[in-house]
Amino acid sequence: MQRLFFVRHGKTEYNLANRVQGGAIDSPLLEQSKKDAVKTGAVLNSYGIKQIIASPQKRVVDTTKLITSQFHHPYAIHYAEEYKEFGYGKWEGAYIPDFEKEEPELFFNLLHRPDLYDPEAFSGETYQQLIRRGTKTVTETIKQFPDQDLLFVGHSITTTATLSSLLGKELKAIRSHTPLENTSISVLHYQNKSFSLDTWNQTGHLH
């Protein structure tokens, strides 16, 4: 059985300010989040994970470096362009309440009906596109490193959509899980070409 660990990046200034933070922008990690990433690394160190796959966006790169600063074994970090966060087009960086006010139906579908979400008007990315690249990142990494435990460090929506899809959820239910908290740990098991959920959004190590 192969264990797949998934961590969301640390909380950023844009997260705190309630701004859209997608695949085209970044903002710095908060000081507390840096400490939380170190705590996450201390927990993950015990598993001896040698292969880490991470989004190349700075908030993830910084989180990954803080996590691996606690590793006492050899490891390699592989940055995957296709593991970046959901693309929001012109809404990148916008104040989220403004997005909700100006596009109430679209915003509702973004959160609750991914199957009806259509971002074409503002050059955003569809859930289908996100799922395609997210699941591709995971399945290709499994092929590259079979029978090894793997760590994926990424983003909230990318991780949620990818894991939910791998677990067989329909598109309309792809966001039915509890939202992932920053520096939370989720774990899938992979065996006989099948994925199963072990842990979702574990945050006990932060408290």
Side-chain angles (χ1 to χ4, degrees):
M1 180 184 68
Q2 194 169 13
R3 292 176 297 186
L4 313 176
F5 296 79
F6 296 84
V7 174
R8 183 187 176 191
H9 64 76
K11 192 171 186 177
T12 68
E13 292 180 1
Y14 266 23
N15 291 146
L16 184 64
N18 205 20
R19 291 191 173 276
V20 178
Q21 189 174 223
I25 61 173
D26 263 307
S27 67
L29 295 178
L30 301 176
E31 288 304 313
Q32 181 59 51
S33 287
K34 295 178 183 178
K35 297 175 183 177
D36 288 344
V38 169
K39 292 178 183 178
T40 303
V43 170
L44 293 174
N45 172 61
S46 63
Y47 294 98
I49 305 167
K50 296 180 179 179
Q51 306 299 338
I52 300 98
I53 299 81
S55 161
Q57 292 183 257
K58 191 175 188 302
R59 58 190 183 273
V60 174
V61 173
D62 291 347
T63 301
T64 304
K65 289 179 179 178
L66 288 164
I67 289 172
T68 54
S69 71
Q70 301 303 298
F71 284 11
H72 301 152
H73 55 270
Y75 62 87
I77 301 174
H78 313 272
Y79 293 106
E81 188 72 19
E82 292 191 319
Y83 206 55
K84 293 173 71 173
E85 180 60 303
F86 208 9
Y88 293 98
K90 77 168 189 178
W91 285 107
E92 294 274 353
Y95 185 48
I96 291 176
D98 289 343
F99 185 5
E100 183 176 12
K101 182 179 179 180
E102 293 187 32
E103 299 281 1
E105 182 178 357
L106 188 72
F107 190 80
F108 178 86
N109 290 340
L110 169 66
L111 298 182
H112 305 291
R113 286 301 301 270
D115 55 317
L116 300 179
Y117 179 67
D118 183 4
E120 182 179 2
F122 56 92
S123 302
E125 185 176 22
T126 66
Y127 273 99
Q128 291 91 333
Q129 291 169 325
L130 174 66
I131 290 167
R132 192 177 304 120
R133 61 180 175 83
T135 56
K136 178 183 177 183
T137 299
V138 174
T139 55
E140 288 192 349
T141 305
I142 289 172
K143 291 178 182 177
Q144 186 178 1
F145 303 108
D147 304 318
Q148 292 190 47
D149 290 341
L150 305 171
L151 169 61
F152 296 83
V153 187
H155 309 266
S156 176
I157 310 306
T158 299
T159 304
T160 297
T162 297
L163 269 62
S164 295
S165 181
L166 292 172
L167 291 168
K169 285 189 176 290
E170 296 181 11
L171 181 58
K172 66 180 180 180
I174 215 76
R175 292 191 65 171
S176 58
H177 280 294
T178 304
L180 294 174
E181 295 188 35
N182 297 97
T183 53
S184 63
I185 300 172
S186 298
V187 185
L188 295 187
H189 290 166
Y190 180 71
Q191 190 172 28
N192 299 324
K193 299 183 179 180
S194 179
F195 296 91
S196 60
L197 179 63
D198 176 80
T199 303
W200 182 269
N201 196 40
Q202 177 184 325
T203 58
H205 60 286
L206 304 178
H207 310 296

